[in-house]
Amino acid sequence: MNKNILLTGGAGYIGSHMAVELLNNNYNVIIVDNLINSDKSVLKNISRITNKSAKFYKIDICDDELETVFKENKIDAVIHFSALKAVGESIEKPELYYKNNIGGLENVLEMMEKYDCNDIVFSSSATVYGKPEYLPIDEQHSLSAINPYGETKIACEEILGALYQENNSYNIAILRYFNPIGAHSSGLIGENPQGLPNNLAPFVGKVAIGEVEKVSVFGDNYDTPDGTGIRDYIHIMDLISGHMQALKNINNLQCDSINLGTGKGYSVLEVIKAFETASGKKIPYEICPPRDGDVAQCYANCDFAKQKLNWQAKYGLDDMVSSHLNWIKK
Ligand code: NAD
Ligand code: UFG
């Protein structure tokens, strides 16, 4: 029988791509999202791509109403994407982040226990490594938070770790994403933050299509070859195939934390260059002071993902950038 997979935050950027992949692989998909950072139109586009529908509940995962979802569906596994993720906002409103991200996970786990669901894949982030002590970063790197958003990810990882210690019949995968960018090849779903994006790729995308005049490059004096910050950008579809592998191998995972990146870093200027090549347009930029809290370089060692999940990223920066442009032009 086809498995029922619950995607919390499934209407969001990563969750919507996951829904497409699961539907295409004959899983039944149940999405719970309060649409605080997404739009219902995503659901229609998921159906357009797959010719199938995800079941949708507009529910806040922190509410008691979440029980309805577990009552009405026999959930086989949860992929827990739901979270608030804006670093700046988390500094202004830490309590909101603790309540939403940590409280939300606790509520989901309570329901899983009550309704006998043992499998969960959790969205963590490279932010849990804080300021890198060495590169590339492997999963043994120490954890530290540099903002409340990061604190919530570390706290959630600890909650899952403690749960597994208490009861090892749970199957838990903690996936630490590096910098996911790009979009589905249909151009019907992708990342579309409201207002001016905080993250580099969506911002440069807006400049490429002429919606914004120029990119602000945050610092050119870092200890990197061109002086600008280096990150491990990973194509959204590679990230999704990592989740598929985690789901398929979940019985062999012992609450493992696993990096999902490419292992290769690109500088801000290299990303701008890739957008210029893909769009055929000059992208104006201006060097600005460094952004508070930014690190010079962050990229992953992905050996563990290869070993545990038989997974590695296959797309390069050009694919990421052209798929993003295809999506925003549409
Ligand atoms: P997103 O904001 O596009 O998606 C998150 C979804 O969760 C949104 O649709 C939002 O409406 C929903 N949501 C938030 N709080 C909710 C609540 N209380 N109840 C129900 N729904 C709620 O973000 P994303 O980029 O798709 O990120 C998914 C996950 O991956 C998050 O946990 C995020 O922290 C993590 N992550 C993302 C990145 C990234 O760069 N995109 C990097 C590392 C980790
Ligand atoms: N940058 C600019 N100009 C911009 C935006 C970003 O120069 O307008 C630079 C940053 O200084 C950094 C690089 O581009 O050097 C990447 O910045 P992003 O904001 O795109 O990504 P971050 O690595 O700073 O952070 C993202 C998420 C975090 C998450 C982290 C690791 O925002 O929440 O990836 O997953 F923790």
Side-chain angles (χ1 to χ4, degrees):
M1 221 176 59
N2 296 347
K3 285 194 166 174
N4 294 333
I5 312 296
L6 170 61
L7 306 183
T8 68
Y13 170 45
I14 303 174
S16 57
H17 289 78
M18 190 75 229
V20 164
E21 196 66 9
L22 288 168
L23 289 168
N24 280 340
N25 282 279
N26 297 320
Y27 289 87
N28 300 320
V29 175
I30 296 115
I31 291 178
V32 173
D33 201 302
N34 64 357
L35 302 179
I36 192 155
N37 198 36
S38 48
D39 192 277
K40 215 176 162 188
S41 60
V42 165
L43 300 165
K44 224 183 278 163
N45 287 335
I46 292 171
S47 299
R48 277 177 71 189
I49 299 169
T50 60
N51 283 319
K52 294 180 187 169
S53 297
K55 200 164 174 183
F56 176 65
Y57 292 85
K58 184 174 183 293
I59 285 179
D60 188 315
I61 56 153
C62 301
D63 288 351
D64 294 342
E65 228 189 321
L66 182 64
E67 184 154 6
T68 317
V69 180
F70 283 81
K71 258 192 200 146
E72 292 181 0
N73 306 276
K74 170 79 192 96
I75 303 295
D76 294 302
V78 176
I79 308 184
H80 184 58
F81 293 110
S82 163
L84 294 171
K85 62 165 187 177
V87 170
E89 186 187 53
S90 83
I91 295 167
E92 283 162 29
K93 301 175 186 166
E95 290 303 330
L96 173 70
Y97 273 66
Y98 302 146
K99 191 165 159 272
N100 194 74
N101 295 2
I102 305 172
L105 173 67
E106 283 173 334
N107 207 22
V108 169
L109 292 176
E110 208 177 292
M111 289 304 117
M112 286 175 63
E113 189 186 2
K114 190 162 174 189
Y115 289 87
D116 250 343
C117 172
N118 284 344
D119 296 358
I120 180 165
V121 178
F122 175 71
S123 298
S124 191
S125 162
T127 193
V128 299
Y129 296 120
K131 197 169 185 297
E133 287 158 12
Y134 57 85
L135 291 160
I137 303 175
D138 60 24
E139 291 82 356
Q140 275 67 54
H141 190 285
S142 63
L143 304 189
S144 73
I146 39 186
N147 51 60
Y149 168 68
E151 284 174 31
T152 68
K153 290 294 176 193
I154 294 178
C156 289
E157 288 200 8
E158 285 170 356
I159 289 168
L160 290 166
L163 177 69
Y164 184 76
Q165 286 298 320
E166 217 174 83
N167 179 354
N168 63 14
S169 62
Y170 276 96
N171 302 307
I172 302 173
I174 294 173
L175 303 181
R176 293 179 177 155
Y177 314 158
F178 278 68
N179 291 56
I181 63 170
H184 188 264
S185 57
S186 62
L188 291 172
I189 52 171
E191 186 177 23
N192 192 12
Q194 315 240 310
L196 268 190
N198 293 314
N199 297 114
L200 182 66
F203 198 102
V204 182
K206 285 204 184 272
V207 179
I209 58 167
E211 257 184 47
V212 180
E213 192 196 331
K214 61 183 174 208
V215 182
S216 301
V217 174
F218 298 144
D220 69 345
N221 208 13
Y222 286 111
D223 186 14
T224 62
D226 67 20
T228 65
I230 287 180
R231 295 293 182 276
D232 187 340
Y233 299 95
I234 171 171
H235 196 300
I236 181 74
M237 296 317 295
D238 273 333
L239 192 83
I240 295 306
S241 71
H243 286 69
M244 289 301 282
Q245 287 304 97
L247 202 57
K248 285 180 189 156
N249 292 288
I250 196 114
N251 291 327
N252 306 324
L253 299 176
Q254 290 87 31
C255 195
D256 293 298
S257 298
I258 305 174
N259 286 343
L260 294 183
T262 64
K264 187 167 168 37
Y266 289 97
S267 73
V268 175
L269 295 184
E270 285 173 316
V271 172
I272 292 175
K273 188 94 207 123
F275 270 94
E276 284 184 339
T277 308
S279 65
K281 291 198 183 115
K282 188 99 199 105
I283 310 252
Y285 68 85
E286 171 185 33
I287 304 296
C288 300
R291 186 169 66 176
D292 271 357
D294 269 357
V295 299
Q297 303 195 52
C298 178
Y299 52 91
N301 176 324
C302 301
D303 292 349
F304 194 51
K306 195 164 181 202
Q307 183 197 321
K308 269 291 194 191
L309 305 179
N310 189 25
W311 171 91
Q312 63 186 351
K314 62 177 189 196
Y315 294 109
L317 183 63
D318 293 341
D319 301 309
M320 304 179 209
V321 165
S322 51
S323 68
H324 180 78
L325 282 172
N326 178 44
W327 144 248
I328 54 169
K329 279 181 189 160
K330 280 195 183 170

